[in-house]
Amino acid sequence: MINKLSQKNLLSKKHTQDYRQYLALNRNVAGFNLKKKELIYTLVSDKSKGAYVWDIDNNKYIDLTMGFGSILFGHNYGPIRKELELQLTKSWSVGPISPLAGKLAVEISKVTNTERVAFFNSGTEAVMVALRIAKAVTNKKYFVFFKGAYHGTFDTLLTLKKDLKTNIAKASIPGITQSILNESFLFEYGSEEAISFIQENKEKIAAVLVEPVQSRNPSFQPKSFLQKLRNVTLENEIALIFDEVITGFRIQMGGCQEYFNIEADIVTYGKVIGGGLPIGIVAGKSKYLDALDGGAWQYGDDSIPQIKSTFVAGTFCHHPLAMAASLKTLEILNLSNGELLQELNNTTTAFCERMNAFFYKTV
Amino acid sequence: MINKLSQKNLLSKKHTQDYRQYLALNRNVAGFNLKKKELIYTLVSDKSKGAYVWDIDNNKYIDLTMGFGSILFGHNYGPIRKELELQLTKSWSVGPISPLAGKLAVEISKVTNTERVAFFNSGTEAVMVALRIAKAVTNKKYFVFFKGAYHGTFDTLLTLKKDLKTNIAKASIPGITQSILNESFLFEYGSEEAISFIQENKEKIAAVLVEPVQSRNPSFQPKSFLQKLRNVTLENEIALIFDEVITGFRIQMGGCQEYFNIEADIVTYGKVIGGGLPIGIVAGKSKYLDALDGGAWQYGDDSIPQIKSTFVAGTFCHHPLAMAASLKTLEILNLSNGELLQELNNTTTAFCERMNAFFYKTV
């Protein structure tokens, strides 16, 4: 079986082997074990369309994850490609700000019911900034996060272990040191223990970071727990951060905030909203987002920025190509008024049911 | 004077004001003070070509920094735009790996005299990963960095202050906490004190991170200090990291490693090499890069990854558009065999001399 499969991917396998010396790529060893090693390679592809990708051996695949969740309308979707081609005739470099950034901020603010929006390059950067502004505004240091969540690769979040007495996240990955984890507190998702801990340590906790529906465990949707988190954070000047890099613009137009009818203080987005281009977004209440630029002031009077800004930066933030792809994505989603997402959810549910029935029969 | 200038930018200024409520953008308050406040806005632009950008008031500017250093050949450079248009007909989404990634890794490895190469989304991500693999491989925790350097926005690097007794970087920016800085040690660039500290704490220091020519102080080029850093790190199993996000593929084809004839262990790149698209690169010795994927192994025998990997990830890493723009950039640079960079350096020097002469006369 392993042999048969790997025979279909001779060129991808050879490519993985030939370039391994030069290209350091962790996907090339994902899930490595000795028994499966002849199947441990990445599919190499330079052709894709709609639901399909073709690898360099010319096998055709259905991409069930749609570009790790980053291309909702399918690969090489015409309307977005055209938008990129058009933007290439105007400006596709950074420096002055693109007029598309402001427009996109307004549109995202409307759809997600957030007050302000800021653009970065990846979900990882967005989560890093979300924690930074939460700490800046509350002037506190700790944050709470949950097992099973995926929040990207910022160091303070990279472990699956914790100290059972203190609940402090515990170093377990090479290169991630304990000092960087010492303000991160890790709990079981949905546990009462988390709520009590937050209550007891409210003076020190700046933020609770949560992936409301965990991509690793999508059937667990603890609405009442999320409501408790919202209450305890609201009462204690703690920022509730929804990491919606995966669920945003996907579970519903307004993401998990709408799905659970719970308003977060800060929300991170990425993937779908980029329309295939790299993007990371931090949105939320002015109270927190103002930490990026000092908040409201006007020309022609004596108003000034109201709060001291923290530091953020990034050469490629608000890249015109990402802004153009993102605006078009939102335009298409808005046109369907959320029905497209509902249809997709229905199709996916039906597909999962058929797959499950098939596997139950087969096993 | 302020009035006259701001009259030229009515639309940019209005745009900044109109969108401030929605778009949180720190560039809109950069250098804020009450006297200059009528001039504190960003230029808004959706048109650029070569050395020029046009703002929405239709003023034409020469972009001296060329897209924050990210577009060496100028705005909307035809050959790279064509490459992007071509790639848009093939594949421009992530998921399977693009065959361009391996090719680009080989080419970068050749030009920069590094053994292995890995791709991320921004300079910030690249620096974060560089520190992570240094700590993973040396199994040590501290690192040394220098005042005046700019290394992006990873939390462990975000301060300009230090404790004068311990040399530990000291929290000074809202939202950046002391615990995250406690393994960061800050010194004056070029100081003997730094060398002694490294020598004395060699058992604990994983890495020395240096921007060899600081973009904030480009005339200071301390070759003999860098040589000393190379010696003391080599003797003590400490990773020497060159942050060449700004100098890479710019000061010379081989960057500061070639310019100073000093081989670093890990080098970060970005900006120029992306050809205008978002990119961050970590390159360097296999000894360190192997921490990303376990290093060399082959199919058809009993070889396995040799070292335990740390964790890195990113939906948009190796984006086909970034890979295509980057390959084309390198192809053009290779064709000129480095002469283009030499010419550009000469032109820039001549320009600076004329500007300095003018200002000396005027003041």
Side-chain angles (χ1 to χ4, degrees):
Chain A
M1 179 67 174
I2 283 180
N3 229 336
K4 199 176 152 195
L5 209 54
S6 121
Q7 282 295 318
K8 285 188 69 172
N9 304 131
L10 286 178
L11 291 179
S12 278
K13 192 169 173 179
K14 183 173 183 322
H15 187 280
T16 302
Q17 183 56 52
D18 288 352
Y19 286 100
R20 194 191 312 282
Q21 185 186 341
Y22 300 100
L23 178 64
L25 179 62
N26 57 331
R27 286 181 204 156
N28 284 339
V29 287
F32 184 92
N33 72 46
L34 209 44
K35 272 189 197 162
K36 290 192 300 184
K37 91 172 240 195
E38 297 301 321
L39 272 184
I40 307 291
Y41 48 82
T42 42
L43 292 179
V44 182
S45 161
D46 202 25
K47 186 181 162 192
S48 58
K49 180 86 191 150
Y52 304 106
V53 295
W54 288 260
D55 66 15
I56 53 174
D57 290 283
N58 213 24
N59 299 298
K60 185 180 179 182
Y61 302 87
I62 297 175
D63 181 3
L64 285 178
T65 71
M66 297 312 288
F68 304 136
S70 69
I71 42 163
L72 187 66
F73 311 126
H75 290 273
N76 212 335
Y77 186 60
I80 293 186
R81 189 185 66 240
K82 277 186 195 124
E83 206 64 24
L84 292 173
E85 284 165 350
L86 178 65
Q87 193 59 38
L88 281 171
T89 66
K90 299 179 186 173
S91 167
W92 44 280
S93 40
V94 292
I97 193 88
S98 164
L100 305 180
K103 269 191 210 171
L104 182 58
V106 173
E107 292 302 317
I108 287 175
S109 151
K110 275 190 212 161
V111 169
T112 61
N113 193 27
T114 52
E115 292 171 358
R116 302 191 77 203
V117 177
F119 298 107
F120 301 93
N121 299 304
S122 65
T124 289
E125 287 189 5
V127 169
M128 181 169 79
V129 169
L131 289 171
R132 188 176 303 161
I133 60 177
K135 290 185 272 187
V137 172
T138 60
N139 201 22
K140 298 188 275 186
K141 294 175 183 175
Y142 293 177
F143 71 89
V144 163
F145 69 125
F146 298 98
K147 286 188 189 175
Y150 180 66
H151 296 299
T153 71
F154 178 40
D155 287 42
T156 64
L157 294 156
L158 283 191
T159 188
L160 303 171
K161 295 188 179 164
K162 69 163 177 174
D163 182 285
L164 291 175
K165 273 188 196 155
T166 61
N167 298 301
I168 296 175
K170 202 168 151 184
S172 64
I173 293 174
I176 304 297
T177 62
Q178 187 57 47
S179 184
I180 292 181
L181 295 169
N182 271 341
E183 295 167 341
S184 315
F185 292 79
L186 187 59
F187 288 90
E188 294 294 330
Y189 189 37
S191 69
E192 283 303 320
E193 198 195 355
I195 307 283
S196 320
F197 180 87
I198 295 165
Q199 188 71 53
E200 284 156 24
N201 294 277
K202 60 191 180 189
E203 305 295 341
K204 293 177 183 168
I205 297 174
V208 174
L209 173 63
V210 61
E211 192 187 8
V213 179
Q214 297 185 339
S215 63
R216 272 68 175 158
N217 188 18
S219 64
F220 186 56
Q221 305 190 353
K223 179 166 175 159
S224 72
F225 177 73
L226 288 168
Q227 192 58 63
K228 280 185 202 164
L229 280 185
R230 177 64 288 188
N231 294 341
V232 70
T233 50
L234 212 51
E235 286 159 11
N236 295 297
E237 193 75 5
I238 296 167
L240 179 62
I241 307 174
F242 273 14
D243 182 344
E244 298 223 44
V245 170
I246 293 175
T247 54
F249 306 94
R250 174 66 192 82
I251 195 167
Q252 273 186 222
M253 286 295 283
C256 281
Q257 289 195 103
E258 188 185 356
Y259 185 72
F260 291 117
N261 191 25
I262 292 172
E263 215 171 274
D265 296 305
I266 307 172
V267 192
T268 56
Y269 300 104
K271 295 188 186 271
V272 165
I273 190 62
L277 276 281
I279 203 164
I281 294 176
V282 179
K285 297 200 187 306
S286 301
K287 172 179 172 180
Y288 290 99
L289 272 285
D290 287 357
L292 294 175
D293 64 358
W297 56 278
Q298 304 74 234
Y299 303 108
D301 59 21
D302 61 357
S303 62
I304 58 168
Q306 291 305 296
I307 71 168
K308 194 184 170 192
S309 308
T310 182
F311 184 75
V312 296
T315 300
F316 301 112
C317 301
H318 343 92
H319 195 287
L321 292 178
M323 297 295 101
S326 190
L327 268 171
K328 191 69 190 176
T329 300
L330 205 44
E331 185 192 319
I332 297 167
L333 284 172
N334 277 333
L335 270 176
S336 100
N337 205 17
E339 275 175 37
L340 195 148
L341 296 180
Q342 193 49 55
E343 243 174 75
L344 188 56
N345 289 343
N346 294 344
T347 310
T348 309
T349 304
F351 171 74
C352 290
E353 281 165 2
R354 282 174 60 198
M355 292 291 276
N356 282 337
F358 173 82
F359 286 123
Y360 277 123
K361 242 190 333 199
T362 315
V363 182
Chain B
M1 178 69 174
I2 283 180
N3 230 334
K4 199 176 152 195
L5 210 51
S6 121
Q7 281 296 318
K8 285 188 68 172
N9 303 130
L10 286 180
L11 292 179
S12 279
K13 192 169 172 178
K14 182 173 183 325
H15 187 281
T16 302
Q17 183 57 52
D18 288 352
Y19 286 100
R20 194 191 312 282
Q21 184 186 342
Y22 300 100
L23 178 63
L25 178 61
N26 58 330
R27 286 181 203 153
N28 284 339
V29 286
F32 184 94
N33 72 46
L34 209 44
K35 271 189 196 162
K36 290 192 299 185
K37 92 172 236 194
E38 298 300 322
L39 271 184
I40 307 291
Y41 48 82
T42 42
L43 291 178
V44 182
S45 161
D46 201 26
K47 185 180 162 191
S48 58
K49 180 87 193 150
Y52 304 105
V53 294
W54 287 261
D55 66 16
I56 54 175
D57 289 282
N58 214 23
N59 299 297
K60 184 180 179 182
Y61 302 87
I62 298 175
D63 181 3
L64 286 178
T65 70
M66 297 312 286
F68 304 135
S70 70
I71 41 162
L72 187 66
F73 312 126
H75 289 273
N76 211 335
Y77 185 59
I80 294 185
R81 190 185 66 240
K82 279 186 193 121
E83 206 64 24
L84 292 173
E85 284 165 348
L86 179 65
Q87 193 59 38
L88 281 171
T89 67
K90 298 180 189 173
S91 167
W92 45 280
S93 41
V94 291
I97 192 87
S98 164
L100 304 180
K103 268 191 210 172
L104 182 59
V106 173
E107 291 302 317
I108 287 175
S109 152
K110 275 190 211 161
V111 169
T112 61
N113 193 27
T114 51
E115 292 170 358
R116 303 190 76 203
V117 177
F119 299 106
F120 301 93
N121 299 305
S122 65
T124 289
E125 287 190 3
V127 169
M128 181 170 76
V129 169
L131 290 170
R132 187 176 303 162
I133 60 177
K135 289 185 272 186
V137 172
T138 60
N139 200 20
K140 297 188 278 186
K141 294 174 183 176
Y142 293 177
F143 71 89
V144 164
F145 70 125
F146 298 98
K147 286 188 188 174
Y150 180 65
H151 296 298
T153 70
F154 178 40
D155 287 41
T156 64
L157 294 156
L158 283 191
T159 187
L160 303 170
K161 293 186 180 166
K162 68 163 177 174
D163 181 285
L164 291 175
K165 273 188 195 157
T166 61
N167 298 301
I168 296 175
K170 202 168 151 183
S172 64
I173 293 174
I176 305 296
T177 61
Q178 188 57 48
S179 185
I180 291 182
L181 294 169
N182 271 342
E183 296 167 340
S184 316
F185 292 80
L186 187 59
F187 289 90
E188 295 293 330
Y189 190 37
S191 69
E192 283 303 320
E193 199 194 354
I195 308 283
S196 321
F197 180 86
I198 295 166
Q199 189 71 53
E200 284 156 23
N201 295 276
K202 59 191 178 190
E203 305 295 341
K204 293 178 185 167
I205 297 174
V208 174
L209 173 63
V210 60
E211 192 187 7
V213 179
Q214 298 184 337
S215 63
R216 273 66 176 160
N217 189 17
S219 64
F220 184 56
Q221 306 189 351
K223 179 167 178 160
S224 71
F225 177 73
L226 288 168
Q227 193 58 62
K228 279 184 202 165
L229 280 186
R230 177 66 288 188
N231 294 341
V232 70
T233 49
L234 214 50
E235 286 159 11
N236 296 296
E237 193 76 3
I238 296 166
L240 179 62
I241 307 173
F242 273 14
D243 183 343
E244 297 223 45
V245 169
I246 293 175
T247 54
F249 306 93
R250 177 63 193 84
I251 195 167
Q252 273 185 222
M253 287 294 283
C256 281
Q257 288 195 102
E258 187 185 358
Y259 185 72
F260 290 119
N261 191 25
I262 292 172
E263 216 171 274
D265 295 305
I266 308 172
V267 193
T268 57
Y269 299 105
K271 294 188 187 269
V272 165
I273 191 63
L277 276 280
I279 204 165
I281 293 176
V282 179
K285 297 199 188 306
S286 301
K287 173 179 171 180
Y288 290 99
L289 272 285
D290 287 357
L292 294 174
D293 64 359
W297 56 278
Q298 304 75 233
Y299 302 108
D301 60 20
D302 61 357
S303 62
I304 58 169
Q306 293 303 297
I307 71 167
K308 194 183 169 194
S309 308
T310 182
F311 184 75
V312 296
T315 300
F316 302 112
C317 301
H318 343 92
H319 196 287
L321 291 178
M323 297 294 101
S326 191
L327 268 171
K328 191 68 189 178
T329 299
L330 204 44
E331 184 192 317
I332 296 166
L333 284 172
N334 277 333
L335 270 176
S336 99
N337 206 14
E339 273 175 37
L340 194 149
L341 296 180
Q342 192 48 57
E343 241 174 75
L344 188 55
N345 289 342
N346 294 342
T347 309
T348 310
T349 305
F351 171 75
C352 291
E353 281 166 3
R354 282 173 59 198
M355 292 290 277
N356 282 337
F358 172 82
F359 286 122
Y360 278 123
K361 240 188 338 197
T362 313
V363 182

